[in-house]
Each structure stands twice: as C-alpha cells, then as structure tokens.
Amino acid sequence: MSVSQGKLSEELPGLLPRQKTLGVSSRVAKTALIALAALAITLFGRTAHKQLSHCLQSASVVPVNSDLCPQAPSLIPVKNNALWATLTEIYGTEGFRSKAVDWLSGAIQIPTESYDQMDPVGVDPRWEKFTSFHDYLEKSFPLVHSSLELSKVNTYGLIYLWKGSDATLKPLLLAAHQDVVPVEPTTYDAWTHPPFSGYFDGNLIWGRGTSDDKSGLIGILSAMETMLENGFQPTRTVVLASGFDEESGGRYGAQTLASELLDMFGENGYAMLVDEGAGYGEQYGQIIATPGIAEKGSVDVMIEVATQGGHSSLPPPHTSIGLLAEFLVAIEKNPFEVHLARGSPMYKNVQCLARHAPDLPSSLREDILNSEHSDKALLSAERELFKDANVKSLVGTTQAIDLIHGGVKVNALPERAYAVVNHRVSVESSVAATRERDARLLRSLAQEYNLSYTAFDVDMNWDQSAPAHGTLTLSTAFDSGLEPAPISPTDGDVMPYMVLSGSIKAAYNSHRSITGEDHVIVSPGLMSGNTDTKFYWKLTPHIFRYGHTEGAIGGAPLAGVHTVNEAISASSFVEIIRFFTVLILNADETLLA
C-alpha cells in the first residue's frame, strides 16, 4: 500500500531531522525520509499500533524499550513545515522577544484577582475589572479578534472558535484562566518589583500571573496572532476556553463554559485538551517533562464537637475544645496508608525515571524495573521513594487540618468547637472511601468520651447505658467532594499523548536550536491540585495538564506561584509560545482519533 507524499503532508507531522543544518538538496532527501516515516504513522492512525514501529524504523529512530516509558519522536510539522520554519526564525529574534514581553507585561498590569467569597457576576462589583482585561486582549490581539469567533459566557468567560476547513475532525481544545490569586497587601513591600507592575528587568517579567496562568493564556493568544499574521488557517478547528475564577474554584467561569463547550461539539466531541499544569525540569541527570494525566480528588471534612456550656470556674474533665483536640491528634497520628499502585500515573512516572534518568541510584532503579512482577521489589522501591514526602503525598490520600474554631470568651465554657480537614484523594481511592475512613477512625474515641456520634448523616452510635456528654458530628464542609479525575490514556500508541509528547520535544529543541530525541523525556505525571479541567471530563478522555515551563516538575508548582516575587523569564515565555504553535500545527495535520 502506498500513499503519495502530498497526501502524507496533509495528514501527519514528520520526525525531527538529526542534522543540525540542512541544505536545499539534503532537505529534499530528508523530505523523502520524513514521508516514509509519516506513511507508517498515517497507517497507524487509521488502523493499528504496528505501523508506529514501522514509522520509527523507517526514520532510523529506534524507541528505547517500548514496553517501559515509550517515547514519541520529536514531531516537526510536514504540511506546515515552511510556516514552522518561518515562525521558528521569528521567535528567535530580539524584536519578537520584545513584543512578547510587552504582551505579557501589559496583561499583568491589569489586576484580575478572584476571591474565595464572591457573589455572582452582576452582583459583586469586583468582577468588573475583567472588562478592562477583555479590552486589553482585543487591542493587543487584533487578528485573533477579527478572525476568530468569540463568545462570552456568564459575561467574562471566553470561548474563541478558530474554525478549521475540515468539520469532520474533532477540535483541539486549549484552556487557560484569566484570574490570579489575590496579593496579600501586607506582602507588597516583600516583592522585588510591585506585583501588578509587569516590570521587565531585561531577563524576568515580574508580577502576579506571570506563571499562573496569564503566561498560558497570553502565550496561546500570542501564538495564534503570529500564526494569523503569517497566513495560517487551520484544517482542524481550534477552541480556546478561558475561565475567570479558577483560583476560587471555577464555579462562575469554567463550570458555565463547560456547558457551552458541551453544546458546541457534544460529549467526547474534542480530540484532546491541554490546560495549565506541570512543565519540565532536571531529575536525576535527565530533563523530564511531566504532563499531568490525572488530578487527585478532594473533600473537606468538618469535625464538630458540642458540649454543655457553663462558667469556666466549674469545668468538666474535657471541654469541647479539649475533645476536639483529641480527635485532631488521632487524625494526625493515623495518616492514610499509602502504596504505589502498578499502572498508576506516579508508577508510570517512576518507571520513566528508572528507564531514562542516568543518575537514579542503581538499587532504586533495579527495584523499579523489577517491581512490575515482584511485590518485594515494589515495596522496596516504595520505601525509598517515600523518603521524599512530596512523592508520598502525590501518591496517597493526604490530610491537612487547615481551619479551627472554638470558644467565645475566656471565662465561658465553649459549647461548640470545630475544625476542617482538607483531604486530597488518591487516584486509587474515592471521596466515599475517604469519608468512611475518617468516620471509622474516630468512633472508638467518641465511645470513650461518651459522645453521641453522627458521621455524614449516618448514626454511628452504640448501645449507650448513660446519657451522652455531648455530640460529635462529621460532615462535608463547603459542599466539597470532588472525585479523582479520570486517567488520560498513554499506553500503547495513543495519538493525542504522542502528539503532545512530540510537540513538547519539538518546542524544546527549537528553542535551543538543537536536534535529537532524548534531550527531554516525556513522562506521565499527576497534578496535586485541581484545575478548570475538573469541569471538562465529558468533553474528551484525552485531558493533559501541561504548561511547558522550566522548573514546574512532577505536579509541584513553580517558585513564586501564589506567593511573593512571582516571575517568568522572557526566554521561557517565548518558549511557551513556541510550544502552543507547534502543538496547533501538529494537531492540525495528525489523525488524532
């Protein structure tokens, strides 16, 4: 079976050339090689996974142990190769760097803080600042606003529709939020440069939102604007969705956008989704990018104790505050049991370390490599990996006592005391299992202190021979309760993940004017927090949380995010623009189904 080079170039990106530079004649020869590689990928996209291996062999790129952390090749656009070459050159100029700095700096100068307690749009005047931000976007990106269809949802939610010429292709969905976390006024003096100045010192752009997440939103719009300036019109439709209250839960923003996005293209109507998330960084001697393929769930549990009040000069053995303290100590003394589950996002992540990170301790490498079929090796790897508290927290269900309240006066016995425990639920667990564990853990203490016990509206009492001395109540606080996100597929030859991986490598290489397949390794990752994607599960099973920013490793936030001195380098921001550019181009000419 044969396919013409012209047909191939309309369907699939090629593999990154190994030569540093290519003359005209060598490019012709290389094009033939790329076409041969693209043929196999095209056949794969239409039939089965065997063709990917043929593609790699045809291009003389041999995957390293395809059964363990398989790597996609660096993907360079084929149909849009000339455009990618032009944009690569543009992005490397000082003039474009200056332009990119101005785009992001201007966005930072418009404070778009969202707060936990805000009334709906139209009621709370604090939302009105987003009008100025929208005006800025329209002025800064005129081609985007004249060429794309813009819909506003709940006044400030944005959906940009870049219509492709082939309506049969599922759209690429990109997401980024407009809002930023508030800056605590008492910390203003601790900032090197004012938090809403957008100050550029020649290297760094300073201010709230430079990393989370205006660099993502402005990066996407910058890529789109520059692509339009250079005549690009997509074959595959591209959709950009931007909420305005991600930092306060997304209730008014992404939640309303989700309904509109569902109406536009239906359930599972999008080819893939890329939203904010982790980036890349050095781990054990290897640069590793970790797109989040899942998010942990969450639930807030309120523990409330009520006892009889009175004068503090005649106290009982235990006040409600004392009893609450006992329960909280029990919570902290009994963390959730944590195990590394085979096939989980974090297990896949450490497998990638074992396969590709040269400086990983040899004993740990051996345990990880053997853990697929050895429980002993898995437990040994666990013990070593969990010495890093962050790794252990990413894997298991966590608990953090974040709020506490009790008492109204120093000489009055407190009649009520409560605390709220924030749980981040493991992808191997559930909200129900987390609640059940908390309820079971505190039952014996409630019995010991003769308290009537209700947990999540279930009577947990035993046969009591004497009247209860008070009540213990467990409930879900703040209407919380989010299950862990579905895990996006990465095994085998899943095209959306491969295109994302290949685009990450292409952007990384392009920004540094290098070639090769192993400068950056792409590994599945896990997000410790939640993003707007929690509302988008019905849109596509291929949801990736990735920001292509150096330093955001393995689900951990960048330095300065949500605190003082948030900043991003101009070089990093230009690389973000490169990433979204090559992702759009690769998705445009790849069969993602």
Side-chain angles (χ1 to χ4, degrees), residues 13 18 38 46 85 88 94 131 150 159-160 173 178 230 261 277 313 353 379 390 450 518 534 546 560 563 575:
R18 288 193 174 277
R46 290 175 171 172
T88 296
E94 183 60 33
T131 299
L150 173 60
I159 297 178
Y160 292 90
L173 177 57
Q178 306 164 53
N230 287 272
L261 292 167
S313 62
L353 289 176
L379 290 174
N390 289 333
N450 195 25
D518 57 358
K534 66 188 177 186
Y546 183 74
T563 186
E575 188 173 355

Side-chain angles (χ1 to χ4, degrees), residues 22 41 48 86 121 126 205 236 248 298 316 364 387 399 423 475 499 501 510:
L22 289 175
I41 299 180
T86 298
V121 173
R126 290 177 291 180
I205 309 163
R236 182 187 300 277
S248 54
S298 65
L364 177 56
K387 290 178 181 178
Q399 52 192 28
H423 292 294
S475 61
V499 168
S501 299
S510 170

Side-chain angles (χ1 to χ4, degrees), residues 112-416:
T112 52
E113 296 163 296
S114 66
Y115 300 84
D116 287 341
Q117 303 298 325
M118 292 186 73
D119 290 325
V121 173
V123 177
D124 197 320
R126 290 177 291 180
W127 296 118
E128 294 172 5
K129 56 198 156 191
F130 287 90
T131 299
S132 298
F133 188 65
H134 291 184
D135 292 342
Y136 172 78
L137 296 181
E138 185 173 356
K139 178 182 178 181
S140 299
F141 304 102
L143 290 179
V144 169
H145 287 82
S146 63
S147 304
L148 278 62
E149 294 181 10
L150 173 60
S151 301
K152 295 193 176 184
V153 182
N154 198 16
T155 307
Y156 300 115
L158 302 176
I159 297 178
Y160 292 90
L161 179 65
W162 198 357
K163 282 188 176 180
S165 60
D166 189 345
T168 66
L169 298 176
K170 291 183 178 181
L172 167 67
L173 177 57
L174 304 175
H177 60 88
Q178 306 164 53
D179 61 309
V180 300
V181 296
V183 176
E184 171 59 45
T186 60
T187 68
Y188 271 56
D189 291 342
W191 285 73
T192 301
H193 300 285
F196 296 108
S197 65
Y199 182 81
F200 180 54
D201 64 7
N203 176 35
L204 297 174
I205 309 163
W206 295 81
R208 175 65 81 233
T210 49
S211 295
D212 184 16
D213 177 38
K214 285 183 176 177
S215 55
L217 176 60
I218 302 303
I220 296 169
L221 291 171
S222 300
M224 289 178 167
E225 184 77 10
T226 309
M227 294 167 79
L228 285 166
E229 287 176 352
N230 287 272
F232 176 70
Q233 292 298 325
T235 301
R236 182 187 300 277
T237 294
V238 181
V239 179
L240 168 59
S242 181
F244 56 93
D245 62 342
E246 190 273 345
E247 300 293 0
S248 54
R251 176 184 177 188
Y252 301 119
Q255 188 170 26
T256 61
L257 289 172
S259 298
E260 184 69 19
L261 292 167
L262 191 62
D263 288 343
M264 289 170 63
F265 292 98
E267 188 167 347
N268 194 22
Y270 297 81
M272 61 187 291
L273 163 61
V274 179
D275 195 2
E276 64 170 330
Y280 64 85
E282 191 274 333
Q283 296 185 65
Y284 296 103
Q286 174 66 56
I287 301 298
I288 297 181
T290 52
I293 63 170
E295 292 179 349
K296 299 180 75 173
S298 65
V299 62
D300 298 312
V301 174
M302 177 178 286
I303 304 172
E304 182 178 358
V305 178
T307 58
Q308 187 174 353
H311 200 284
S312 61
S313 62
L314 299 171
H318 303 285
T319 69
S320 60
I321 292 176
L323 291 168
L324 176 63
E326 288 272 12
F327 295 128
L328 298 183
V329 168
I331 290 284
E332 291 209 334
K333 278 189 173 181
N334 293 276
F336 283 73
E337 188 173 349
V338 181
H339 291 293
L340 188 62
R342 294 183 180 96
S344 67
M346 286 303 296
Y347 183 73
K348 292 179 179 180
N349 180 265
V350 299
Q351 283 185 312
C352 285
L353 289 176
R355 183 62 189 86
H356 297 289
D359 296 339
L360 191 73
S362 58
S363 59
L364 177 56
R365 186 191 314 281
E366 183 177 352
D367 283 335
I368 294 171
L369 293 176
N370 292 332
S371 66
E372 188 72 45
H373 306 290
S374 168
D375 291 342
K376 180 180 178 181
L378 181 60
L379 290 174
S380 179
E382 260 184 26
R383 284 192 294 269
E384 185 63 30
L385 290 166
F386 290 173
K387 290 178 181 178
D388 185 331
N390 289 333
V391 173
K392 189 173 184 180
S393 291
L394 278 171
V395 172
T397 296
T398 59
Q399 52 192 28
I401 302 167
D402 291 331
L403 296 175
I404 191 166
H405 175 80
V408 295
K409 200 172 187 299
V410 71
N411 62 350
L413 297 175
E415 296 172 321
R416 175 176 179 261

